[in-house]
Amino acid sequence: GNCTDGIGTYLWDSGDEYTGEWTNGSRTGIGVYDWKDGSYYYGYFKDGKLDGKGVYIGNDDAKTTLIGYFRDGSLKEKDNFVETGCIIGNCDNGIGVYLWESDDVYIGEWKYGNRTGYGRYDWKDGSFYTGYFKEGKLDGRGYYESNENKIMDGYFENNSFIRSADDKTSSGSSVSSAAKPGGAAAAALDELAVDVEGEVFV
């Protein structure tokens, strides 16, 4: 992606990760920030700080949940706006966050109501995919990690993993050491799962 002026993913040495909009190299716009400890925030940022409509879910014992409007990094106004559907932004033609009843969530680019462009999809079971989509399917450079730490890092086409990032060939069988996403990921909405051998499964 583009971590200067666009939408992209940045991974810090600490293990924290951000996927979302950037302006002049700063987190500004809609994004998701994942802390190494498992806490995360979906919502608006301004100059690198939580600022605007958002949802914070902590990974502490109490599973602290903050929902509302943030200013300068802190929750300023509580609001229970979380429902299913497009919860933040524009999920037709723009950048938006969509939450399914299954608790799967996508943040990224949309065209004509389809996930098209760069984005991140998180399954309820902890599996996630960051990369490119086309008409709702994994398509282009991407990174998938299951909740069991199984990784597919490379190129996807029409929901199929076709080759690893360091493999110059286009044969799907060259990455046979990776495994299929399992559990909730395999049953994800819109057939959002892939098989290493190039087969699409639902």
Side-chain angles (χ1 to χ4, degrees):
N2 181 341
C3 297
T4 304
D5 287 296
I7 183 168
T9 299
Y10 192 92
L11 178 63
W12 282 267
D13 290 339
S14 66
D16 292 359
E17 182 176 313
Y18 171 81
T19 297
E21 292 183 280
W22 297 81
T23 302
N24 296 324
S26 178
R27 297 182 307 275
T28 297
I30 297 173
V32 56
Y33 194 101
D34 288 281
W35 284 270
K36 183 180 180 180
D37 71 359
S39 303
Y40 62 93
Y41 168 85
Y42 279 94
Y44 285 94
F45 291 78
K46 182 178 180 183
D47 298 326
K49 296 181 180 177
L50 286 59
D51 200 296
K53 187 176 182 181
V55 178
Y56 169 84
I57 307 290
N59 196 30
D60 54 353
D61 290 339
K63 294 290 182 193
T64 301
T65 302
L66 305 175
I67 302 170
Y69 294 88
F70 293 76
R71 294 287 178 267
D72 200 27
S74 299
L75 181 68
K76 296 298 181 189
E77 180 185 338
K78 291 183 178 182
D79 189 347
N80 194 14
F81 55 78
V82 175
E83 297 177 6
T84 56
C86 190
I87 60 172
I88 297 173
N90 183 342
C91 300
D92 288 320
N93 290 294
I95 297 174
V97 178
Y98 195 97
L99 176 65
W100 282 268
E101 290 182 11
S102 65
D103 286 337
D104 291 355
V105 65
Y106 169 79
I107 178 169
E109 295 179 288
W110 297 81
K111 288 185 183 174
Y112 307 110
N114 278 315
R115 295 179 302 275
T116 296
Y118 192 84
R120 176 177 168 132
Y121 192 102
D122 285 270
W123 286 271
K124 182 181 179 177
D125 71 357
S127 304
F128 69 92
Y129 169 84
T130 302
Y132 288 91
F133 293 77
K134 183 178 178 183
E135 297 178 357
K137 296 181 179 180
L138 284 61
D139 203 293
R141 180 72 170 90
Y143 177 90
Y144 170 85
E145 185 172 324
S146 77
N147 60 344
E148 299 167 345
N149 295 320
K150 295 177 183 174
I151 293 170
M152 286 185 252
D153 182 10
Y155 297 88
F156 297 77
E157 186 176 294
N158 196 28
N159 268 3
S160 295
F161 186 74
I162 57 172
R163 73 176 193 271
S164 67
D166 55 2
D167 184 7
K168 305 300 181 205
T169 68
S170 60
S171 169
S173 60
S174 63
V175 287
S176 58
S177 61
K180 286 184 183 179
L189 187 68
D190 289 342
E191 303 159 3
L192 258 179
V194 294
D195 177 46
V196 177
E197 301 303 322
E199 298 173 20
V200 178
F201 69 93
V202 268

PDB file of all heavy atoms in Angstrom, residues 10-22:
ATOM      1  N   TYR A  10       1.424  -0.350   7.932  1.00  0.00           N
ATOM      2  CA  TYR A  10       2.744  -0.118   8.500  1.00  0.00           C
ATOM      3  C   TYR A  10       2.899  -0.985   9.735  1.00  0.00           C
ATOM      4  O   TYR A  10       2.016  -1.017  10.598  1.00  0.00           O
ATOM      5  CB  TYR A  10       2.921   1.355   8.878  1.00  0.00           C
ATOM      6  CG  TYR A  10       4.351   1.721   9.188  1.00  0.00           C
ATOM      7  CD1 TYR A  10       5.196   2.196   8.190  1.00  0.00           C
ATOM      8  CD2 TYR A  10       4.863   1.584  10.473  1.00  0.00           C
ATOM      9  CE1 TYR A  10       6.516   2.526   8.468  1.00  0.00           C
ATOM     10  CE2 TYR A  10       6.173   1.905  10.767  1.00  0.00           C
ATOM     11  CZ  TYR A  10       6.997   2.380   9.758  1.00  0.00           C
ATOM     12  OH  TYR A  10       8.308   2.702  10.034  1.00  0.00           O
ATOM     13  N   LEU A  11       4.026  -1.710   9.825  1.00  0.00           N
ATOM     14  CA  LEU A  11       4.325  -2.573  10.964  1.00  0.00           C
ATOM     15  C   LEU A  11       5.535  -2.011  11.700  1.00  0.00           C
ATOM     16  O   LEU A  11       6.598  -1.829  11.106  1.00  0.00           O
ATOM     17  CB  LEU A  11       4.617  -4.000  10.485  1.00  0.00           C
ATOM     18  CG  LEU A  11       4.991  -5.024  11.545  1.00  0.00           C
ATOM     19  CD1 LEU A  11       3.845  -5.234  12.528  1.00  0.00           C
ATOM     20  CD2 LEU A  11       5.382  -6.343  10.893  1.00  0.00           C
ATOM     21  N   TRP A  12       5.364  -1.715  12.989  1.00  0.00           N
ATOM     22  CA  TRP A  12       6.448  -1.192  13.802  1.00  0.00           C
ATOM     23  C   TRP A  12       7.269  -2.334  14.395  1.00  0.00           C
ATOM     24  O   TRP A  12       6.783  -3.458  14.530  1.00  0.00           O
ATOM     25  CB  TRP A  12       5.895  -0.327  14.936  1.00  0.00           C
ATOM     26  CG  TRP A  12       5.478   1.041  14.482  1.00  0.00           C
ATOM     27  CD1 TRP A  12       6.222   2.184  14.492  1.00  0.00           C
ATOM     28  CD2 TRP A  12       4.203   1.405  13.949  1.00  0.00           C
ATOM     29  NE1 TRP A  12       5.485   3.226  13.991  1.00  0.00           N
ATOM     30  CE2 TRP A  12       4.251   2.786  13.654  1.00  0.00           C
ATOM     31  CE3 TRP A  12       3.029   0.698  13.680  1.00  0.00           C
ATOM     32  CZ2 TRP A  12       3.170   3.465  13.111  1.00  0.00           C
ATOM     33  CZ3 TRP A  12       1.950   1.380  13.143  1.00  0.00           C
ATOM     34  CH2 TRP A  12       2.019   2.745  12.858  1.00  0.00           C
ATOM     35  N   ASP A  13       8.510  -2.024  14.791  1.00  0.00           N
ATOM     36  CA  ASP A  13       9.375  -3.011  15.445  1.00  0.00           C
ATOM     37  C   ASP A  13       8.730  -3.550  16.715  1.00  0.00           C
ATOM     38  O   ASP A  13       8.993  -4.681  17.122  1.00  0.00           O
ATOM     39  CB  ASP A  13      10.737  -2.392  15.794  1.00  0.00           C
ATOM     40  CG  ASP A  13      11.582  -2.107  14.562  1.00  0.00           C
ATOM     41  OD1 ASP A  13      11.321  -2.724  13.499  1.00  0.00           O
ATOM     42  OD2 ASP A  13      12.497  -1.261  14.655  1.00  0.00           O
ATOM     43  N   SER A  14       7.881  -2.764  17.353  1.00  0.00           N
ATOM     44  CA  SER A  14       7.214  -3.174  18.591  1.00  0.00           C
ATOM     45  C   SER A  14       6.197  -4.287  18.354  1.00  0.00           C
ATOM     46  O   SER A  14       5.752  -4.935  19.280  1.00  0.00           O
ATOM     47  CB  SER A  14       6.478  -1.982  19.213  1.00  0.00           C
ATOM     48  OG  SER A  14       5.413  -1.572  18.361  1.00  0.00           O
ATOM     49  N   GLY A  15       5.781  -4.477  17.084  1.00  0.00           N
ATOM     50  CA  GLY A  15       4.744  -5.449  16.754  1.00  0.00           C
ATOM     51  C   GLY A  15       3.390  -4.800  16.529  1.00  0.00           C
ATOM     52  O   GLY A  15       2.452  -5.445  16.080  1.00  0.00           O
ATOM     53  N   ASP A  16       3.263  -3.495  16.845  1.00  0.00           N
ATOM     54  CA  ASP A  16       2.032  -2.766  16.543  1.00  0.00           C
ATOM     55  C   ASP A  16       1.893  -2.637  15.024  1.00  0.00           C
ATOM     56  O   ASP A  16       2.898  -2.591  14.306  1.00  0.00           O
ATOM     57  CB  ASP A  16       2.064  -1.370  17.160  1.00  0.00           C
ATOM     58  CG  ASP A  16       2.006  -1.375  18.682  1.00  0.00           C
ATOM     59  OD1 ASP A  16       1.926  -2.474  19.266  1.00  0.00           O
ATOM     60  OD2 ASP A  16       2.058  -0.290  19.270  1.00  0.00           O
ATOM     61  N   GLU A  17       0.641  -2.565  14.552  1.00  0.00           N
ATOM     62  CA  GLU A  17       0.394  -2.479  13.111  1.00  0.00           C
ATOM     63  C   GLU A  17      -0.797  -1.566  12.839  1.00  0.00           C
ATOM     64  O   GLU A  17      -1.785  -1.572  13.568  1.00  0.00           O
ATOM     65  CB  GLU A  17       0.104  -3.872  12.557  1.00  0.00           C
ATOM     66  CG  GLU A  17      -0.121  -3.917  11.058  1.00  0.00           C
ATOM     67  CD  GLU A  17      -0.312  -5.340  10.555  1.00  0.00           C
ATOM     68  OE1 GLU A  17       0.488  -6.222  10.950  1.00  0.00           O
ATOM     69  OE2 GLU A  17      -1.252  -5.560   9.791  1.00  0.00           O
ATOM     70  N   TYR A  18      -0.682  -0.779  11.771  1.00  0.00           N
ATOM     71  CA  TYR A  18      -1.763   0.110  11.348  1.00  0.00           C
ATOM     72  C   TYR A  18      -2.061  -0.130   9.880  1.00  0.00           C
ATOM     73  O   TYR A  18      -1.148  -0.213   9.061  1.00  0.00           O
ATOM     74  CB  TYR A  18      -1.368   1.575  11.560  1.00  0.00           C
ATOM     75  CG  TYR A  18      -2.332   2.563  10.943  1.00  0.00           C
ATOM     76  CD1 TYR A  18      -3.509   2.916  11.588  1.00  0.00           C
ATOM     77  CD2 TYR A  18      -2.066   3.151   9.708  1.00  0.00           C
ATOM     78  CE1 TYR A  18      -4.401   3.837  11.028  1.00  0.00           C
ATOM     79  CE2 TYR A  18      -2.948   4.066   9.144  1.00  0.00           C
ATOM     80  CZ  TYR A  18      -4.107   4.404   9.800  1.00  0.00           C
ATOM     81  OH  TYR A  18      -4.985   5.299   9.240  1.00  0.00           O
ATOM     82  N   THR A  19      -3.342  -0.257   9.540  1.00  0.00           N
ATOM     83  CA  THR A  19      -3.796  -0.298   8.155  1.00  0.00           C
ATOM     84  C   THR A  19      -4.858   0.778   8.007  1.00  0.00           C
ATOM     85  O   THR A  19      -5.828   0.796   8.767  1.00  0.00           O
ATOM     86  CB  THR A  19      -4.407  -1.669   7.797  1.00  0.00           C
ATOM     87  OG1 THR A  19      -3.404  -2.681   7.912  1.00  0.00           O
ATOM     88  CG2 THR A  19      -4.948  -1.673   6.367  1.00  0.00           C
ATOM     89  N   GLY A  20      -4.654   1.653   7.049  1.00  0.00           N
ATOM     90  CA  GLY A  20      -5.635   2.702   6.840  1.00  0.00           C
ATOM     91  C   GLY A  20      -5.099   3.829   6.008  1.00  0.00           C
ATOM     92  O   GLY A  20      -4.119   3.682   5.275  1.00  0.00           O
ATOM     93  N   GLU A  21      -5.768   4.983   6.162  1.00  0.00           N
ATOM     94  CA  GLU A  21      -5.430   6.156   5.366  1.00  0.00           C
ATOM     95  C   GLU A  21      -4.235   6.904   5.951  1.00  0.00           C
ATOM     96  O   GLU A  21      -4.062   6.963   7.165  1.00  0.00           O
ATOM     97  CB  GLU A  21      -6.629   7.104   5.291  1.00  0.00           C
ATOM     98  CG  GLU A  21      -7.787   6.547   4.492  1.00  0.00           C
ATOM     99  CD  GLU A  21      -8.929   7.534   4.383  1.00  0.00           C
ATOM    100  OE1 GLU A  21      -9.709   7.645   5.354  1.00  0.00           O
ATOM    101  OE2 GLU A  21      -9.031   8.199   3.333  1.00  0.00           O
ATOM    102  N   TRP A  22      -3.440   7.483   5.038  1.00  0.00           N
ATOM    103  CA  TRP A  22      -2.268   8.279   5.399  1.00  0.00           C
ATOM    104  C   TRP A  22      -2.327   9.607   4.651  1.00  0.00           C
ATOM    105  O   TRP A  22      -2.720   9.645   3.486  1.00  0.00           O
ATOM    106  CB  TRP A  22      -0.984   7.560   4.999  1.00  0.00           C
ATOM    107  CG  TRP A  22      -0.750   6.253   5.686  1.00  0.00           C
ATOM    108  CD1 TRP A  22      -1.289   5.050   5.354  1.00  0.00           C
ATOM    109  CD2 TRP A  22       0.088   6.017   6.809  1.00  0.00           C
ATOM    110  NE1 TRP A  22      -0.843   4.072   6.204  1.00  0.00           N
ATOM    111  CE2 TRP A  22       0.018   4.631   7.106  1.00  0.00           C
ATOM    112  CE3 TRP A  22       0.904   6.834   7.592  1.00  0.00           C
ATOM    113  CZ2 TRP A  22       0.727   4.060   8.154  1.00  0.00           C
ATOM    114  CZ3 TRP A  22       1.616   6.254   8.638  1.00  0.00           C
ATOM    115  CH2 TRP A  22       1.522   4.888   8.915  1.00  0.00           C
TER     116      TRP A  22
END
